[in-house]
Amino acid sequence: MHAHGLSKKQVLAELKKIRRRDKHYDDGKILCSMCTKPHPMAIKAYRLFLTSNLGDPGLFSGSVQLEEEVINDLATLLHGENCVGHVVSGGTEANLMALLAARNMAHVNAPEVVLPESAHFSFTKICNLLDLKPVYAGLDDSFRVDPLQVEKCAGEKTVAIVGTAGTSELGVVDPIEELSRVALEHKVWLHVDAAFGGLVIPFLADAKLNFDFALEAVESITVDPHKMGMAAIPAGGIIFRDSKALDYIKTETPYLTDQYQYTFIGTRTGAAAASTWAVFRSLGVEGFKKVVGKCMKTTRLLADGLTDAGFKLVVEPTLNIVAFRSDGGTRHLVEKLRRQGWFVSYVPRYDCIRIVVMPHVKNRQALAFLKDLVVNQKC
Amino acid sequence: MHAHGLSKKQVLAELKKIRRRDKHYDDGKILCSMCTKPHPMAIKAYRLFLTSNLGDPGLFSGSVQLEEEVINDLATLLHGENCVGHVVSGGTEANLMALLAARNMAHVNAPEVVLPESAHFSFTKICNLLDLKPVYAGLDDSFRVDPLQVEKCAGEKTVAIVGTAGTSELGVVDPIEELSRVALEHKVWLHVDAAFGGLVIPFLADAKLNFDFALEAVESITVDPHKMGMAAIPAGGIIFRDSKALDYIKTETPYLTDQYQYTFIGTRTGAAAASTWAVFRSLGVEGFKKVVGKCMKTTRLLADGLTDAGFKLVVEPTLNIVAFRSDGGTRHLVEKLRRQGWFVSYVPRYDCIRIVVMPHVKNRQALAFLKDLVVNQKC
């Protein structure tokens, strides 16, 4: 820290200069992110609620109202009734609260959780924290977790089974319906990580994917407004089917305006709830269908173009994620594309390039990407 | 969610109406919060970096630079050399990362942590998560943890000792120097929770309180810019003395632009770092001294006024927190004050009212509060 402060003008000029080193969503060249440019109303709402703290709800009852309405909207969208939940910092905290509730409720020695091999890496963090032993179930040919393997992995120590609705690497949706049957049989908590898919699947035109509270065993769902909900970071969501879950995750607060906290994070911005609320009200179901429809069209355009150019899709896209590889080698293409300004992910597990077709990616950018990709492959 | 979206104008009008139900820092009536109105430059910087995601650092190298500079500034302020750390979501995540590193490094069965009875309630959450057994050490007459009790509590299973530099309830600073001696003797990790005090103590005019990396055993410090650093939520900080700590908390990321993550939260806004950076650059050490000096003057004014009016201070203020009680009963005053718009905390443990004199609380508001308090006490 310098001894003396600088003027507003100096600080702002320096900030703007440094900000130019960040990439921006507008040019459509970020193809590796599950976040996107927030909806204009998400930004306005965030600014309006910037000083709100949901960690001290007695002071911010307007923000509390917005959080409740967002949670109700999400629960209804996910076919839940009388659900409870919170706007949290993102998928990691949401998954944590779910597994914490499941672990504490089950209260067994040396607890285990059955995870798909394709589960998000946040579960590695969470298992490390919670001293939960992850037991990994393998995938079927289409990279969905194999329910027979889940069945085999489940035992007396299992406190939860996890399924993913929209894996981070391939956008695949696990067979949650079958997981629900396994979970019911074993009387075990089923958590669905729909951080990405939770705000895509309900708006898909064709696919009818059963993944939510309509399935009896589903006790909790993670769904992140700061991904396909176009809210500003940090806006995650955790929804529980039953309010009893809260008893297993609550902490007493000795001096705040509320007696208990049900989130891991204490001080947390109300702007996240406001930002989400603003998008939900601005778009409505029809608006979301349009956004998702557009993303799926661009996804199709990209998938077809890749196939036409001789690339192999790892799997047919279910959601707005495309993963592909090249017979001539894939990894080296990532660096070449980077030099042209394209940001794509390389996924070592499947030796593939992954593209997330977020709302900021337009058709013309997808086509420009294809063109650059094909040239790169040839030279 | 409604079927159809509403217009910008409708959504904004509704948001503004709801926002009016939130309390605001400007009227100086929030006397119960460790957060405050962010510095104007913190707000500007937050807005500028609203779309940045430090969970994907390869995309946001400008934001990465700001985070590094903030961590360096904090480390230097706390007498650290070659420290490492991150801007996290707040004190809870910061304390988690510290105890996770300590637990994983020690790698003992049935691990324990020695906590002051006055430790923040986030440690209850963390112990629950980490399956750490909290062993509580009692306090001395001035509500600081008693080092002899800490000594007694420490044993073979102890993975960390925690001290607080600025307790949430009384603003007391534990005798970290003596805790350092105990920790060295037991060869155990010493973590200092300076979430509140870390950006107060270095700027105090008189008190020389030894609480940071100048003390040999201190391995990690929590310090929250969104408290006395006047940054916008969510801006917490965790600083480790030694980069080796990161090995114990890292998680591999299979598809992001960086290979490892060292924070619990994955997707995290770069605006928090930018917001903190903007305050640090705008104020500098001299600016912070002024802010802290003003808060301490108002604290003194309040403490003297309370004593003059016959209230009993629980303890002489060290930082900008005043705790007091009334011989005629204390709890009932909280509700009376609330009806007049004053928000104060009631702390059952000490049967006292606690006031946090944050930068948004001016002298005239402190005097108005005193006046209302005295009237309430009499009737």
Side-chain angles (χ1 to χ4, degrees):
Chain A
M1 202 181 286
H2 301 158
H4 296 279
L6 301 175
S7 73
K8 257 189 196 183
K9 213 175 139 187
Q10 283 172 304
V11 175
L12 207 57
E14 218 178 322
L15 272 173
K16 282 182 179 163
K17 198 176 125 199
I18 295 169
R19 179 59 166 156
R20 280 197 288 275
R21 294 183 47 209
D22 281 353
K23 300 295 162 205
H24 292 271
Y25 294 108
D26 282 326
D27 65 7
K29 291 199 145 184
I30 298 182
L31 303 176
C32 63
S33 178
M34 290 194 141
C35 291
T36 188
K37 193 181 175 178
H39 187 280
M41 286 304 292
I43 294 176
K44 273 193 202 299
Y46 202 101
R47 290 177 173 185
L48 193 58
F49 283 75
L50 194 72
T51 63
S52 151
N53 173 15
L54 276 171
D56 218 346
L59 295 177
F60 300 99
S61 50
S63 302
V64 169
Q65 179 189 335
L66 296 182
E67 180 177 38
E68 285 171 357
E69 292 185 17
V70 160
I71 294 300
N72 282 340
D73 278 355
L74 284 172
T76 308
L77 205 61
L78 301 171
H79 299 102
E81 275 173 38
N82 307 313
C83 290
V84 295
H86 290 91
V87 174
V88 293
S89 56
T92 303
E93 188 183 3
N95 287 334
L96 171 73
M97 297 327 285
L99 290 198
L100 181 65
R103 184 197 72 174
N104 289 357
M105 196 184 73
H107 200 68
V108 300
N109 264 332
E112 298 178 357
V113 56
V114 180
L115 294 171
E117 272 179 9
S118 53
H120 187 256
F121 67 84
S122 62
F123 288 103
T124 312
K125 291 181 180 175
I126 292 163
C127 286
N128 178 11
L129 291 191
L130 297 184
D131 246 333
L132 273 175
K133 187 180 162 195
V135 184
Y136 287 101
L139 312 181
D140 66 16
D141 290 348
S142 51
F143 304 95
R144 297 154 25 116
V145 75
D146 179 350
L148 287 177
Q149 289 221 33
V150 171
E151 175 96 59
K152 271 189 208 159
C153 292
E156 281 181 13
K157 292 177 176 174
T158 307
V159 302
I161 292 171
V162 172
T164 314
T167 60
S168 303
E169 289 161 342
L170 302 176
V172 151
V173 179
D174 285 329
I176 311 291
E177 204 158 353
E178 296 175 57
L179 297 188
S180 179
R181 274 196 286 275
V182 177
L184 279 181
E185 216 172 276
H186 286 263
K187 294 194 172 94
V188 69
W189 188 292
L190 178 56
H191 172 64
V192 178
D193 178 2
F196 185 74
L199 283 164
V200 182
I201 302 169
F203 308 117
L204 286 175
D206 317 309
K208 284 289 158 268
L209 292 161
N210 231 345
F211 78 106
D212 59 20
F213 291 117
L215 300 169
E216 203 181 332
V218 174
E219 288 294 335
S220 52
I221 300 180
T222 289
V223 49
D224 278 2
H226 68 208
K227 292 190 170 81
M228 279 295 287
M230 291 164 286
I233 299 167
I238 176 68
I239 321 277
F240 292 103
R241 177 188 293 275
D242 194 318
S243 62
K244 276 179 207 154
L246 298 184
D247 290 340
Y248 297 98
I249 58 171
K250 72 181 177 190
T251 305
E252 207 168 340
T253 62
Y255 56 81
L256 294 178
T257 48
D258 245 27
Q259 205 188 345
Y260 294 107
Q261 274 186 0
Y262 305 94
T263 56
F264 175 63
I265 303 301
T267 295
R268 59 194 178 97
T269 175
S275 168
T276 307
W277 189 94
V279 183
F280 284 11
R281 280 294 183 283
S282 298
L283 291 182
V285 174
E286 291 307 316
F288 265 106
K289 278 186 181 168
K290 261 190 212 161
V291 171
V292 168
K294 246 183 87 281
C295 290
M296 290 308 294
K297 268 192 193 153
T298 310
T299 302
R300 201 60 259 166
L301 181 78
L302 209 46
D304 292 344
L306 286 162
T307 312
D308 289 349
F311 293 94
K312 301 275 187 306
L313 299 184
V314 178
V315 63
E316 272 299 316
T318 311
L319 309 181
N320 45 328
I321 292 180
V322 187
F324 64 94
R325 56 174 80 98
S326 164
D327 285 340
T330 307
R331 188 164 211 160
H332 71 106
L333 290 171
V334 176
E335 258 318 302
K336 284 185 181 172
L337 288 163
R338 175 76 60 93
R339 283 196 288 271
Q340 292 166 313
W342 297 106
F343 282 83
V344 297
S345 306
Y346 176 73
V347 182
R349 193 180 344 212
Y350 306 117
D351 181 32
C352 72
I353 286 175
R354 176 202 69 158
I355 289 174
V356 193
V357 187
M358 296 301 286
H360 66 268
V361 183
K362 313 294 175 211
N363 278 351
R364 60 185 159 80
Q365 290 151 344
L367 292 172
F369 168 76
L370 269 173
K371 206 173 138 192
D372 280 353
L373 178 67
V374 170
V375 172
N376 280 324
Q377 193 197 18
K378 284 185 184 152
C379 60
Chain B
M1 202 182 286
H2 302 159
H4 295 279
L6 302 174
S7 72
K8 255 189 196 183
K9 211 175 142 187
Q10 284 171 303
V11 175
L12 208 57
E14 219 179 320
L15 272 173
K16 282 182 179 164
K17 199 176 124 198
I18 295 169
R19 179 60 167 155
R20 281 197 287 275
R21 294 183 49 209
D22 281 352
K23 301 295 162 208
H24 291 270
Y25 294 109
D26 281 327
D27 65 8
K29 290 198 148 185
I30 297 182
L31 303 176
C32 62
S33 179
M34 291 193 141
C35 290
T36 189
K37 192 179 176 182
H39 186 280
M41 286 304 293
I43 295 175
K44 273 193 200 300
Y46 201 101
R47 290 177 171 186
L48 193 59
F49 282 76
L50 194 70
T51 63
S52 151
N53 173 15
L54 275 171
D56 218 346
L59 295 177
F60 300 100
S61 50
S63 301
V64 169
Q65 179 190 334
L66 295 181
E67 180 178 38
E68 286 171 356
E69 290 185 17
V70 161
I71 295 300
N72 281 341
D73 277 356
L74 285 171
T76 308
L77 206 60
L78 301 170
H79 300 102
E81 275 172 40
N82 306 314
C83 290
V84 295
H86 290 91
V87 174
V88 293
S89 56
T92 304
E93 188 185 2
N95 287 334
L96 171 72
M97 298 326 285
L99 290 199
L100 181 65
R103 184 197 72 173
N104 288 357
M105 197 184 75
H107 200 68
V108 299
N109 264 332
E112 298 178 355
V113 55
V114 180
L115 294 171
E117 272 179 9
S118 53
H120 187 256
F121 68 85
S122 62
F123 288 102
T124 312
K125 293 180 179 177
I126 292 163
C127 286
N128 179 11
L129 292 192
L130 297 185
D131 247 334
L132 272 176
K133 186 178 161 196
V135 184
Y136 286 101
L139 312 181
D140 65 17
D141 291 347
S142 50
F143 304 93
R144 298 157 20 119
V145 75
D146 178 350
L148 286 177
Q149 288 219 35
V150 171
E151 175 96 57
K152 271 188 206 160
C153 292
E156 278 180 15
K157 291 176 176 177
T158 306
V159 302
I161 293 170
V162 172
T164 314
T167 61
S168 302
E169 290 161 342
L170 303 176
V172 150
V173 179
D174 285 329
I176 311 291
E177 204 158 352
E178 295 174 57
L179 297 188
S180 178
R181 272 195 287 273
V182 178
L184 278 181
E185 215 172 276
H186 287 261
K187 293 197 173 89
V188 69
W189 188 293
L190 178 56
H191 172 64
V192 177
D193 178 3
F196 186 75
L199 283 164
V200 182
I201 302 169
F203 307 117
L204 287 174
D206 316 312
K208 285 288 157 270
L209 292 160
N210 231 345
F211 77 106
D212 60 20
F213 291 118
L215 300 169
E216 202 181 333
V218 174
E219 289 294 335
S220 52
I221 300 180
T222 287
V223 49
D224 277 3
H226 68 207
K227 294 191 169 82
M228 280 295 287
M230 291 164 285
I233 300 167
I238 178 65
I239 322 275
F240 292 104
R241 177 189 291 275
D242 194 319
S243 62
K244 277 181 207 152
L246 298 184
D247 289 340
Y248 297 99
I249 59 171
K250 72 180 177 191
T251 304
E252 206 168 341
T253 63
Y255 55 82
L256 295 177
T257 48
D258 244 29
Q259 203 188 345
Y260 295 105
Q261 274 186 359
Y262 305 95
T263 56
F264 175 62
I265 305 301
T267 294
R268 58 193 177 97
T269 176
S275 169
T276 307
W277 189 94
V279 184
F280 285 11
R281 280 294 183 281
S282 298
L283 291 181
V285 173
E286 291 307 316
F288 264 105
K289 278 187 181 168
K290 261 190 210 159
V291 172
V292 167
K294 245 183 89 285
C295 290
M296 290 308 295
K297 267 192 192 151
T298 310
T299 303
R300 200 61 257 168
L301 181 78
L302 209 46
D304 292 345
L306 286 162
T307 312
D308 290 348
F311 293 94
K312 300 275 188 302
L313 298 184
V314 177
V315 63
E316 272 299 317
T318 312
L319 309 182
N320 44 328
I321 292 181
V322 187
F324 64 94
R325 56 174 79 98
S326 162
D327 284 341
T330 307
R331 189 166 209 158
H332 71 106
L333 291 172
V334 176
E335 257 321 299
K336 285 187 181 172
L337 287 164
R338 175 75 61 93
R339 283 197 289 272
Q340 293 166 312
W342 297 106
F343 282 83
V344 297
S345 307
Y346 176 73
V347 183
R349 189 180 347 211
Y350 306 118
D351 181 32
C352 73
I353 287 175
R354 176 203 69 156
I355 289 173
V356 194
V357 187
M358 294 301 285
H360 66 269
V361 184
K362 312 294 175 211
N363 276 352
R364 62 185 160 77
Q365 291 151 342
L367 292 171
F369 168 76
L370 269 173
K371 208 172 139 192
D372 280 354
L373 178 69
V374 169
V375 172
N376 280 324
Q377 193 196 21
K378 283 184 185 151
C379 60

